[in-house]
Coordinates of all heavy atoms in Angstrom, one line a residue:
M28 N 42.2 47.8 108.8 CA 41.4 48.3 107.7 C 42.1 49.4 106.9 O 42.0 49.5 105.7 CB 40.0 48.8 108.2 CG 39.1 49.2 107.0 SD 37.5 49.7 107.5 CE 37.8 51.4 107.9
L29 N 42.8 50.2 107.6 CA 43.6 51.3 106.9 C 44.5 50.7 105.9 O 44.7 51.3 104.8 CB 44.3 52.2 108.0 CG 45.1 53.3 107.4 CD1 44.2 54.3 106.7 CD2 45.8 54.1 108.6
L30 N 45.2 49.7 106.3 CA 46.2 49.0 105.3 C 45.4 48.5 104.1 O 45.9 48.6 103.0 CB 47.0 47.9 106.0 CG 48.0 47.2 105.2 CD1 49.0 48.2 104.6 CD2 48.8 46.2 106.0
V31 N 44.3 47.9 104.3 CA 43.5 47.4 103.2 C 43.1 48.5 102.2 O 43.3 48.4 101.0 CB 42.2 46.7 103.7 CG1 41.2 46.4 102.6 CG2 42.6 45.4 104.4
V32 N 42.6 49.6 102.8 CA 42.2 50.8 101.9 C 43.4 51.3 101.2 O 43.4 51.6 100.0 CB 41.4 51.8 102.7 CG1 41.2 53.1 101.9 CG2 40.1 51.3 103.3
S33 N 44.5 51.4 101.9 CA 45.8 52.0 101.3 C 46.2 51.1 100.2 O 46.6 51.6 99.1 CB 46.8 52.0 102.4 OG 48.1 52.4 101.8
E34 N 46.2 49.8 100.3 CA 46.6 48.9 99.3 C 45.6 49.0 98.1 O 46.1 49.0 96.9 CB 46.6 47.4 99.8 CG 47.8 47.1 100.6 CD 49.1 47.2 99.9 OE1 49.2 46.9 98.7 OE2 50.1 47.7 100.5
L35 N 44.3 49.1 98.3 CA 43.4 49.2 97.2 C 43.6 50.5 96.4 O 43.6 50.5 95.2 CB 41.9 49.1 97.7 CG 41.5 47.8 98.3 CD1 40.1 47.9 98.9 CD2 41.6 46.7 97.3
V36 N 43.8 51.6 97.1 CA 44.0 52.9 96.4 C 45.3 52.8 95.7 O 45.4 53.3 94.6 CB 43.9 54.0 97.4 CG1 44.4 55.3 96.8 CG2 42.5 54.2 98.0
T37 N 46.4 52.2 96.3 CA 47.6 52.1 95.6 C 47.5 51.3 94.3 O 48.1 51.6 93.3 CB 48.7 51.4 96.6 OG1 48.9 52.3 97.7 CG2 50.0 51.2 95.9
N38 N 46.7 50.2 94.4 CA 46.5 49.4 93.2 C 45.8 50.3 92.1 O 46.2 50.2 90.9 CB 45.6 48.2 93.5 CG 46.4 47.1 94.0 OD1 47.6 47.1 94.0 ND2 45.7 46.1 94.5
V39 N 44.9 51.1 92.4 CA 44.3 52.0 91.4 C 45.3 52.9 90.8 O 45.4 53.1 89.6 CB 43.1 52.8 92.0 CG1 42.6 53.9 91.1 CG2 41.9 51.9 92.4
L40 N 46.1 53.5 91.7 CA 47.1 54.5 91.2 C 48.2 53.8 90.3 O 48.6 54.3 89.3 CB 47.8 55.2 92.3 CG 46.9 56.1 93.2 CD1 47.7 56.6 94.4 CD2 46.4 57.2 92.4
R41 N 48.5 52.5 90.6 CA 49.5 51.8 89.9 C 48.9 51.2 88.6 O 49.6 51.1 87.6 CB 50.0 50.7 90.8 CG 51.3 50.0 90.3 CD 51.9 49.1 91.3 NE 52.6 49.9 92.4 CZ 52.7 49.6 93.6 NH1 52.2 48.4 94.1 NH2 53.3 50.4 94.5
H42 N 47.7 50.7 88.7 CA 47.2 49.9 87.5 C 46.1 50.6 86.7 O 45.8 50.1 85.7 CB 46.7 48.5 88.0 CG 47.7 47.7 88.7 ND1 48.8 47.1 88.0 CD2 47.9 47.4 90.0 CE1 49.5 46.5 88.9 NE2 49.0 46.6 90.1
A43 N 45.6 51.7 87.2 CA 44.6 52.5 86.4 C 44.9 54.0 86.6 O 44.1 54.8 87.0 CB 43.2 52.2 86.9
P44 N 46.2 54.4 86.3 CA 46.6 55.8 86.6 C 45.9 56.8 85.8 O 45.8 58.0 86.1 CB 48.1 55.8 86.2 CG 48.2 54.6 85.2 CD 47.2 53.6 85.6
R45 N 45.3 56.4 84.6 CA 44.6 57.4 83.8 C 43.1 57.6 84.2 O 42.3 58.2 83.5 CB 44.7 57.0 82.3 CG 46.1 57.2 81.9 CD 46.3 56.8 80.5 NE 46.2 55.3 80.5 CZ 46.3 54.6 79.4 NH1 46.3 55.1 78.3 NH2 46.2 53.3 79.6
S46 N 42.7 56.9 85.3 CA 41.3 57.0 85.7 C 41.1 58.5 86.1 O 41.8 59.0 86.9 CB 41.1 56.2 86.9 OG 41.1 54.8 86.6
P47 N 40.1 59.1 85.5 CA 39.8 60.6 85.8 C 39.4 60.8 87.3 O 39.7 61.8 87.8 CB 38.7 60.9 84.9 CG 38.1 59.7 84.5 CD 39.1 58.6 84.6
G48 N 38.9 59.8 87.9 CA 38.5 59.9 89.3 C 38.5 58.5 89.9 O 38.2 57.5 89.3
R49 N 38.7 58.5 91.2 CA 38.6 57.3 91.9 C 37.7 57.5 93.1 O 37.7 58.6 93.7 CB 40.0 56.9 92.5 CG 41.0 56.5 91.3 CD 42.4 56.5 91.8 NE 42.9 57.9 92.1 CZ 43.4 58.7 91.2 NH1 43.3 58.5 89.9 NH2 43.8 59.9 91.6
R50 N 36.9 56.6 93.4 CA 35.9 56.7 94.4 C 36.2 55.6 95.5 O 36.5 54.5 95.2 CB 34.5 56.6 93.9 CG 34.1 57.7 93.0 CD 32.7 57.7 92.6 NE 31.8 57.8 93.7 CZ 31.5 58.9 94.5 NH1 32.0 60.0 94.2 NH2 30.6 58.8 95.5
R51 N 36.0 56.1 96.7 CA 36.1 55.2 97.9 C 34.8 55.3 98.6 O 34.2 56.4 98.7 CB 37.3 55.5 98.8 CG 38.6 55.5 98.1 CD 39.7 56.1 98.9 NE 39.4 57.4 99.5 CZ 39.4 58.6 98.9 NH1 39.6 58.7 97.7 NH2 39.1 59.7 99.6
G52 N 34.4 54.2 99.2 CA 33.2 54.3 100.0 C 33.2 53.2 101.1 O 34.0 52.3 101.0
Y53 N 32.4 53.4 102.0 CA 32.3 52.3 103.1 C 30.9 52.4 103.7 O 30.3 53.5 103.7 CB 33.4 52.5 104.1 CG 33.4 53.8 104.8 CD1 32.7 54.0 106.0 CD2 34.1 54.9 104.3 CE1 32.7 55.2 106.7 CE2 34.1 56.1 104.9 CZ 33.4 56.3 106.1 OH 33.4 57.5 106.8
H54 N 30.4 51.3 104.1 CA 29.1 51.3 104.8 C 29.0 50.0 105.6 O 29.8 49.0 105.3 CB 28.0 51.5 103.9 CG 27.8 50.4 102.9 ND1 28.4 50.3 101.7 CD2 27.0 49.2 103.0 CE1 28.1 49.2 101.1 NE2 27.2 48.5 101.8
G55 N 28.2 50.0 106.6 CA 28.0 48.8 107.4 C 26.6 48.3 107.2 O 25.6 49.1 107.0
R56 N 26.5 47.0 107.1 CA 25.2 46.4 107.0 C 25.3 44.9 107.3 O 26.3 44.3 107.1 CB 24.6 46.6 105.6 CG 25.3 45.8 104.5 CD 24.6 45.8 103.2 NE 25.3 44.9 102.3 CZ 25.4 45.0 101.1 NH1 24.8 46.0 100.5 NH2 26.0 44.1 100.4
R57 N 24.2 44.4 108.0 CA 24.1 43.0 108.3 C 25.4 42.4 108.9 O 25.9 41.4 108.5 CB 23.7 42.2 107.1 CG 22.3 42.5 106.6 CD 22.0 41.7 105.4 NE 22.7 42.3 104.3 CZ 22.2 42.3 103.1 NH1 21.0 41.8 102.8 NH2 22.9 42.9 102.1
G58 N 26.0 43.2 109.8 CA 27.2 42.7 110.5 C 28.5 42.7 109.7 O 29.4 42.1 110.1
Q59 N 28.5 43.5 108.6 CA 29.7 43.6 107.8 C 30.0 45.1 107.6 O 29.2 45.9 107.6 CB 29.4 43.0 106.4 CG 29.3 41.5 106.4 CD 29.3 41.0 104.9 OE1 28.7 41.7 104.1 NE2 29.8 39.8 104.7
L60 N 31.3 45.3 107.5 CA 31.8 46.6 107.0 C 32.2 46.3 105.6 O 33.1 45.5 105.3 CB 33.0 47.1 107.8 CG 33.6 48.4 107.4 CD1 32.6 49.5 107.5 CD2 34.8 48.7 108.2
V61 N 31.7 47.1 104.6 CA 32.0 46.9 103.2 C 32.8 48.2 102.8 O 32.3 49.3 102.9 CB 30.7 46.8 102.4 CG1 31.0 46.6 100.9 CG2 29.9 45.6 102.9
V62 N 33.9 47.9 102.2 CA 34.8 49.0 101.7 C 34.9 48.8 100.2 O 35.1 47.7 99.7 CB 36.2 48.9 102.3 CG1 37.1 50.0 101.6 CG2 36.2 49.0 103.8
S63 N 34.7 49.9 99.4 CA 34.7 49.8 98.0 C 35.7 50.8 97.4 O 35.8 52.0 98.0 CB 33.3 50.0 97.3 OG 32.8 51.3 97.6
V64 N 36.4 50.5 96.4 CA 37.3 51.4 95.6 C 37.0 51.2 94.2 O 37.0 50.0 93.7 CB 38.7 51.1 95.9 CG1 39.6 52.0 95.1 CG2 39.0 51.3 97.4
A65 N 36.6 52.3 93.5 CA 36.3 52.2 92.0 C 37.3 53.0 91.2 O 37.8 54.0 91.7 CB 34.9 52.8 91.9
D66 N 37.4 52.5 90.0 CA 38.3 53.3 89.0 C 37.6 53.2 87.6 O 36.6 52.6 87.5 CB 39.7 52.7 89.0 CG 39.8 51.3 88.6 OD1 39.1 50.9 87.7 OD2 40.6 50.5 89.2
A67 N 38.3 53.7 86.6 CA 37.8 53.7 85.3 C 38.4 52.6 84.4 O 38.2 52.5 83.2 CB 38.0 55.0 84.6
E68 N 39.1 51.6 85.0 CA 39.7 50.5 84.3 C 38.7 49.5 84.1 O 38.1 48.9 85.0 CB 40.9 50.0 85.1 CG 41.5 48.7 84.6 CD 42.1 48.9 83.2 OE1 42.8 50.0 83.0 OE2 41.9 48.1 82.3
P69 N 38.4 49.1 82.8 CA 37.3 48.2 82.5 C 37.7 46.7 82.8 O 36.8 45.9 82.9 CB 37.1 48.4 81.0 CG 38.3 48.9 80.5 CD 39.0 49.7 81.6
C70 N 39.0 46.4 82.9 CA 39.4 45.0 83.2 C 39.3 44.6 84.6 O 39.8 45.3 85.5 CB 40.8 44.8 82.7 SG 41.0 45.0 80.9
L71 N 38.6 43.5 84.9 CA 38.5 43.1 86.3 C 39.8 42.4 86.7 O 40.3 41.6 85.9 CB 37.3 42.1 86.4 CG 35.9 42.7 86.2 CD1 34.9 41.6 86.2 CD2 35.6 43.8 87.1
P72 N 40.2 42.6 88.0 CA 41.4 41.9 88.4 C 41.1 40.4 88.6 O 40.0 40.0 89.0 CB 41.7 42.6 89.7 CG 40.4 43.2 90.2 CD 39.6 43.5 89.0
D73 N 42.1 39.6 88.4 CA 42.0 38.2 88.7 C 42.2 37.9 90.2 O 43.2 38.2 90.8 CB 43.1 37.4 87.9 CG 42.9 35.9 88.0 OD1 42.1 35.4 88.8 OD2 43.5 35.2 87.2
L74 N 41.1 37.5 90.8 CA 41.2 37.3 92.3 C 41.3 35.8 92.7 O 41.1 35.5 93.9 CB 39.9 37.9 92.9 CG 39.6 39.4 92.7 CD1 38.3 39.8 93.3 CD2 40.8 40.2 93.3
E75 N 41.8 35.0 91.8 CA 42.0 33.6 92.2 C 43.4 33.5 92.9 O 44.3 34.3 92.6 CB 42.1 32.8 90.9 CG 40.8 32.6 90.1 CD 39.8 31.9 91.0 OE1 40.1 30.9 91.6 OE2 38.6 32.4 91.0
P76 N 43.4 32.6 93.9 CA 44.7 32.5 94.7 C 45.8 32.2 93.7 O 45.7 31.4 92.8 CB 44.4 31.3 95.6 CG 42.9 31.3 95.7 CD 42.3 31.8 94.4
G77 N 46.9 32.8 93.9 CA 48.1 32.6 93.1 C 48.1 33.5 91.9 O 49.2 33.6 91.2
A78 N 47.0 34.1 91.5 CA 46.9 35.0 90.3 C 47.0 36.5 90.7 O 47.2 37.3 89.8 CB 45.7 34.7 89.5
M79 N 46.7 36.8 91.9 CA 46.7 38.2 92.3 C 48.1 38.7 92.5 O 49.1 38.0 92.8 CB 46.0 38.3 93.7 CG 44.5 38.0 93.7 SD 43.8 38.2 95.3 CE 44.0 36.6 96.0
G80 N 48.3 40.0 92.4 CA 49.5 40.7 92.7 C 49.7 40.7 94.2 O 48.8 40.4 95.0
A81 N 50.9 41.2 94.6 CA 51.2 41.3 96.0 C 50.2 42.1 96.8 O 49.9 41.8 98.0 CB 52.6 41.8 96.2
G82 N 49.8 43.2 96.3 CA 48.8 44.1 97.0 C 47.5 43.4 97.3 O 47.0 43.5 98.4
L83 N 46.9 42.8 96.2 CA 45.6 42.2 96.5 C 45.8 40.9 97.3 O 44.9 40.5 98.1 CB 45.0 41.8 95.1 CG 44.3 43.0 94.4 CD1 43.7 42.6 93.1 CD2 43.2 43.6 95.3
E84 N 46.9 40.2 97.2 CA 47.2 39.1 98.1 C 47.2 39.5 99.5 O 46.6 38.8 100.4 CB 48.5 38.4 97.7 CG 48.6 37.7 96.4 CD 48.3 36.2 96.5 OE1 48.3 35.7 97.6 OE2 48.2 35.6 95.4
L85 N 47.8 40.6 99.8 CA 47.8 41.2 101.2 C 46.4 41.5 101.6 O 46.0 41.2 102.8 CB 48.8 42.4 101.3 CG 48.8 43.1 102.6 CD1 49.3 42.1 103.7 CD2 49.7 44.3 102.6
V86 N 45.7 42.2 100.8 CA 44.3 42.5 101.1 C 43.5 41.3 101.4 O 42.8 41.2 102.4 CB 43.6 43.3 99.9 CG1 42.1 43.4 100.1 CG2 44.3 44.7 99.8
A87 N 43.6 40.3 100.6 CA 42.8 39.0 100.8 C 43.2 38.4 102.1 O 42.4 37.8 102.8 CB 43.0 38.1 99.6
E88 N 44.5 38.4 102.4 CA 45.0 37.8 103.7 C 44.4 38.5 104.9 O 44.0 37.9 105.8 CB 46.5 37.8 103.7 CG 47.1 37.1 104.9 CD 48.6 37.2 104.9 OE1 49.2 36.9 103.8 OE2 49.2 37.4 106.0
L89 N 44.5 39.8 104.8 CA 44.0 40.7 106.0 C 42.5 40.5 106.1 O 42.0 40.3 107.3 CB 44.4 42.1 105.8 CG 45.8 42.5 105.8 CD1 46.1 43.9 105.4 CD2 46.4 42.3 107.3
V90 N 41.8 40.5 105.1 CA 40.3 40.4 105.1 C 40.0 39.0 105.6 O 39.0 38.8 106.4 CB 39.7 40.7 103.7 CG1 38.2 40.3 103.7 CG2 39.9 42.1 103.4
G91 N 40.7 38.0 105.2 CA 40.5 36.6 105.7 C 40.6 36.5 107.2 O 39.9 35.6 107.8
E92 N 41.4 37.3 107.8 CA 41.5 37.3 109.3 C 40.2 37.7 110.0 O 40.0 37.4 111.1 CB 42.7 38.2 109.7 CG 44.0 37.6 109.4 CD 45.2 38.5 109.8 OE1 45.0 39.4 110.7 OE2 46.3 38.3 109.3
Y93 N 39.4 38.4 109.2 CA 38.0 38.8 109.8 C 36.9 38.0 109.1 O 35.8 38.4 109.1 CB 37.8 40.3 109.5 CG 38.7 41.1 110.4 CD1 40.0 41.5 109.9 CD2 38.3 41.5 111.7 CE1 40.8 42.3 110.8 CE2 39.1 42.3 112.5 CZ 40.4 42.7 112.0 OH 41.2 43.4 112.8
D94 N 37.3 36.9 108.5 CA 36.3 36.0 107.9 C 35.5 36.7 106.8 O 34.3 36.5 106.6 CB 35.4 35.4 109.0 CG 34.8 34.1 108.5 OD1 35.3 33.4 107.6 OD2 33.7 33.7 109.0
G95 N 36.2 37.6 106.1 CA 35.6 38.4 105.1 C 36.0 37.9 103.7 O 36.6 36.8 103.5
D96 N 35.7 38.7 102.7 CA 36.0 38.4 101.3 C 36.3 39.6 100.5 O 36.0 40.7 100.8 CB 34.9 37.5 100.7 CG 33.6 38.3 100.5 OD1 33.6 39.2 99.7 OD2 32.6 37.9 101.2
V97 N 36.9 39.3 99.3 CA 37.2 40.4 98.3 C 36.6 40.0 97.0 O 36.6 38.8 96.6 CB 38.8 40.5 98.1 CG1 39.1 41.5 97.0 CG2 39.5 40.7 99.4
S98 N 35.9 40.9 96.3 CA 35.3 40.7 95.0 C 35.5 41.9 94.1 O 35.9 42.9 94.6 CB 33.8 40.3 95.2 OG 33.1 41.4 95.7
A99 N 35.3 41.7 92.9 CA 35.4 42.7 91.9 C 34.2 42.6 90.9 O 33.8 41.5 90.6 CB 36.7 42.7 91.1
E100 N 33.7 43.8 90.5 CA 32.6 43.8 89.6 C 32.6 45.0 88.7 O 33.3 46.0 89.1 CB 31.3 43.7 90.4 CG 31.1 44.8 91.3 CD 29.9 44.6 92.3 OE1 29.7 43.5 92.8 OE2 29.2 45.6 92.5
P101 N 32.0 44.9 87.6 CA 31.9 46.1 86.7 C 31.2 47.3 87.5 O 30.3 47.0 88.2 CB 31.1 45.7 85.5 CG 31.2 44.2 85.5 CD 31.3 43.8 87.0
A102 N 31.7 48.5 87.2 CA 31.1 49.6 87.9 C 29.7 49.9 87.2 O 29.5 49.5 86.1 CB 32.0 50.9 87.7
V103 N 28.8 50.4 88.0 CA 27.5 50.8 87.5 C 27.4 52.3 87.2 O 27.9 53.1 88.0 CB 26.4 50.4 88.6 CG1 25.0 50.9 88.1 CG2 26.4 48.9 88.9
G104 N 27.0 52.6 86.0 CA 26.8 54.0 85.7 C 28.0 54.6 84.9 O 28.0 55.7 84.5
H105 N 29.1 53.9 84.9 CA 30.3 54.3 84.1 C 31.2 53.1 83.8 O 31.1 52.1 84.5 CB 31.1 55.4 84.9 CG 31.7 54.9 86.2 ND1 33.0 54.3 86.2 CD2 31.3 54.9 87.4 CE1 33.2 54.0 87.4 NE2 32.2 54.3 88.2
E106 N 32.1 53.3 82.8 CA 33.0 52.2 82.6 C 34.0 52.1 83.7 O 34.5 53.1 84.1 CB 33.7 52.5 81.2 CG 34.6 51.3 80.8 CD 35.2 51.6 79.5 OE1 34.6 51.3 78.5 OE2 36.4 52.0 79.4
G107 N 34.3 51.0 84.2 CA 35.3 50.8 85.2 C 35.0 49.6 86.1 O 34.2 48.7 85.8
T108 N 35.8 49.5 87.2 CA 35.7 48.4 88.1 C 35.5 48.9 89.5 O 36.0 49.9 89.9 CB 37.1 47.6 88.0 OG1 37.3 47.2 86.6 CG2 37.2 46.5 88.9
V109 N 34.8 48.1 90.3 CA 34.7 48.3 91.7 C 35.2 47.1 92.4 O 34.8 46.0 92.1 CB 33.2 48.5 92.1 CG1 33.1 48.7 93.6 CG2 32.6 49.7 91.4
V110 N 36.2 47.3 93.3 CA 36.7 46.2 94.2 C 36.0 46.4 95.5 O 36.0 47.5 96.1 CB 38.2 46.2 94.3 CG1 38.7 45.2 95.3 CG2 38.9 46.0 93.0
L111 N 35.3 45.3 96.0 CA 34.6 45.3 97.2 C 35.3 44.4 98.2 O 35.7 43.3 97.9 CB 33.2 44.8 97.0 CG 32.3 45.7 96.1 CD1 31.1 44.9 95.6 CD2 31.9 46.9 96.9
V112 N 35.5 44.9 99.4 CA 36.0 44.2 100.5 C 35.0 44.1 101.6 O 34.5 45.2 102.1 CB 37.4 44.8 101.0 CG1 37.9 44.0 102.2 CG2 38.4 44.9 99.9
R113 N 34.7 42.9 102.1 CA 33.7 42.8 103.2 C 34.4 42.2 104.4 O 35.0 41.1 104.3 CB 32.6 41.9 102.7 CG 31.7 42.5 101.6 CD 30.7 41.5 101.1 NE 30.1 42.0 99.9 CZ 30.5 41.9 98.7 NH1 31.7 41.4 98.4 NH2 29.8 42.5 97.7
F114 N 34.3 42.9 105.5 CA 34.8 42.4 106.8 C 33.6 42.0 107.7 O 32.6 42.8 107.8 CB 35.5 43.6 107.6 CG 36.7 44.1 107.0 CD1 36.7 45.2 106.1 CD2 37.9 43.5 107.3 CE1 37.9 45.7 105.6 CE2 39.1 44.0 106.7 CZ 39.1 45.1 105.9
N115 N 33.6 40.9 108.2 CA 32.6 40.5 109.2 C 33.0 41.0 110.6 O 34.1 40.8 111.0 CB 32.4 39.0 109.3 CG 31.8 38.4 108.0 OD1 30.9 39.0 107.5 ND2 32.3 37.3 107.5
L116 N 32.2 41.9 111.1 CA 32.5 42.6 112.4 C 31.5 42.3 113.5 O 30.4 42.1 113.2 CB 32.6 44.1 112.1 CG 33.6 44.5 111.1 CD1 33.4 46.0 110.8 CD2 35.0 44.2 111.5
P117 N 32.0 42.4 114.7 CA 31.1 42.3 115.9 C 30.1 43.4 115.9 O 30.4 44.5 115.4 CB 32.0 42.4 117.1 CG 33.4 42.4 116.6 CD 33.4 42.6 115.2
S118 N 28.9 43.2 116.5 CA 27.9 44.2 116.5 C 28.3 45.5 117.1 O 27.9 46.6 116.7 CB 26.6 43.7 117.1 OG 26.9 43.4 118.5
W119 N 29.1 45.5 118.1 CA 29.5 46.8 118.8 C 30.3 47.6 117.8 O 30.2 48.9 117.9 CB 30.3 46.5 120.1 CG 31.7 45.9 119.9 CD1 32.0 44.6 120.0 CD2 32.9 46.6 119.7 NE1 33.3 44.4 119.7 CE2 33.9 45.6 119.6 CE3 33.2 47.9 119.5 CZ2 35.2 45.9 119.3 CZ3 34.6 48.2 119.3 CH2 35.5 47.2 119.2
V120 N 31.1 47.1 116.9 CA 31.8 47.8 115.9 C 30.8 48.5 115.0 O 31.0 49.7 114.6 CB 32.8 47.0 115.2 CG1 33.5 47.8 114.1 CG2 33.9 46.5 116.1
M121 N 29.8 47.8 114.5 CA 28.8 48.3 113.6 C 28.1 49.5 114.3 O 27.8 50.5 113.6 CB 27.9 47.2 113.2 CG 28.5 46.1 112.4 SD 29.6 46.6 111.0 CE 28.3 47.3 110.0
D122 N 27.8 49.3 115.6 CA 27.1 50.4 116.3 C 27.9 51.7 116.3 O 27.5 52.8 116.1 CB 26.7 50.0 117.7 CG 25.7 48.9 117.7 OD1 24.9 48.7 116.7 OD2 25.6 48.2 118.8
T123 N 29.2 51.5 116.5 CA 30.2 52.6 116.6 C 30.2 53.3 115.2 O 30.2 54.5 115.1 CB 31.6 52.2 117.0 OG1 31.5 51.6 118.3 CG2 32.5 53.3 117.0
C124 N 30.3 52.5 114.1 CA 30.4 53.1 112.8 C 29.1 53.9 112.5 O 29.2 55.0 111.9 CB 30.5 51.9 111.7 SG 32.1 51.1 111.7
R125 N 27.9 53.3 112.8 CA 26.7 54.1 112.5 C 26.6 55.4 113.3 O 26.2 56.4 112.8 CB 25.5 53.2 112.9 CG 25.1 52.2 111.8 CD 23.7 51.6 112.2 NE 23.8 50.7 113.3 CZ 24.1 49.4 113.2 NH1 24.4 48.9 112.0 NH2 24.2 48.6 114.2
S126 N 27.1 55.4 114.5 CA 27.0 56.6 115.3 C 28.0 57.7 114.8 O 27.8 58.8 115.1 CB 27.3 56.3 116.8 OG 28.7 56.0 117.0
R127 N 29.0 57.2 114.0 CA 30.0 58.2 113.5 C 29.7 58.6 112.0 O 30.5 59.2 111.4 CB 31.4 57.6 113.6 CG 31.8 57.6 115.1 CD 33.2 57.1 115.2 NE 33.6 57.1 116.6 CZ 34.7 56.6 117.0 NH1 35.6 56.2 116.2 NH2 35.0 56.6 118.3
G128 N 28.6 58.1 111.5 CA 28.2 58.5 110.2 C 28.7 57.7 109.1 O 29.0 58.2 108.0
A129 N 28.9 56.4 109.3 CA 29.4 55.5 108.3 C 28.4 55.5 107.1 O 27.3 55.8 107.3 CB 29.6 54.1 108.8
G130 N 28.9 55.1 106.0 CA 28.1 55.0 104.8 C 28.4 56.1 103.8 O 27.8 56.3 102.8
R131 N 29.4 56.9 104.1 CA 29.8 58.0 103.2 C 30.7 57.5 102.1 O 31.3 56.5 102.2 CB 30.6 59.0 104.0 CG 29.7 59.8 105.0 CD 30.6 60.7 105.8 NE 30.9 60.0 107.0 CZ 31.9 60.3 107.8 NH1 32.7 61.3 107.5 NH2 32.1 59.7 108.9
S132 N 30.7 58.2 101.0 CA 31.6 57.9 99.8 C 32.3 59.2 99.5 O 31.8 60.3 99.8 CB 30.8 57.5 98.6 OG 30.2 56.3 98.8
S133 N 33.5 59.0 99.0 CA 34.3 60.2 98.7 C 35.1 59.9 97.4 O 35.4 58.8 97.0 CB 35.2 60.6 99.8 OG 36.2 59.5 100.0
G134 N 35.4 61.0 96.7 CA 36.3 60.9 95.5 C 37.5 61.7 95.7 O 37.7 62.5 96.6
D135 N 38.5 61.4 94.9 CA 39.8 62.1 95.0 C 39.8 63.4 94.2 O 39.1 63.6 93.3 CB 40.9 61.3 94.4 CG 41.4 60.2 95.3 OD1 41.0 60.2 96.5 OD2 42.1 59.3 94.9

């Protein structure tokens, strides 16, 4: 998961460097860990196989190992994009995340 978040943040820095702020968040729900990274870039990335850059290709491959998915959507409340990564996780992992206070969001 650390590599996935690193790649997503690197993509923001590389492709939306003028974003005044970047937000990361994560939360667990219904057996999934959802990681989000938002920026102020209004263009959605192309997530079709073969159309993604190397960073998103790596993210998609890693997430696929957990039977998860990658999506992008317009940000709510401001101009920008949110990339969402969903990992399907065993219930014991979700219990651990909840006990450690998962569901927080942070900005740079």
Side-chain angles (χ1 to χ4, degrees):
M28 184 176 83
L29 182 60
L30 182 55
V31 167
V32 174
S33 175
E34 285 296 325
L35 293 174
V36 171
T37 297
N38 277 348
V39 169
L40 295 173
R41 193 172 285 150
H42 300 290
R45 292 176 287 176
S46 291
R49 293 164 291 278
R50 295 189 55 79
R51 301 167 314 280
Y53 59 94
H54 65 275
R56 70 171 186 212
R57 293 180 284 217
Q59 290 186 326
L60 176 63
V61 181
V62 177
S63 62
V64 176
D66 62 40
E68 175 60 44
C70 297
L71 296 176
D73 189 345
L74 298 176
E75 293 297 317
M79 294 181 270
L83 283 176
E84 290 262 351
L85 176 61
V86 167
E88 183 179 318
L89 292 169
V90 171
E92 290 180 16
Y93 290 89
D94 204 22
D96 64 67
V97 179
S98 64
E100 59 191 43
V103 176
H105 65 86
E106 185 175 277
T108 299
V109 178
V110 175
L111 297 161
V112 176
R113 294 172 186 86
F114 294 93
N115 291 318
L116 299 174
S118 61
W119 68 267
V120 173
M121 298 308 295
D122 292 341
T123 301
C124 289
R125 275 191 290 273
S126 71
R127 292 186 179 172
R131 291 176 263 162
S132 293
S133 63
D135 281 350

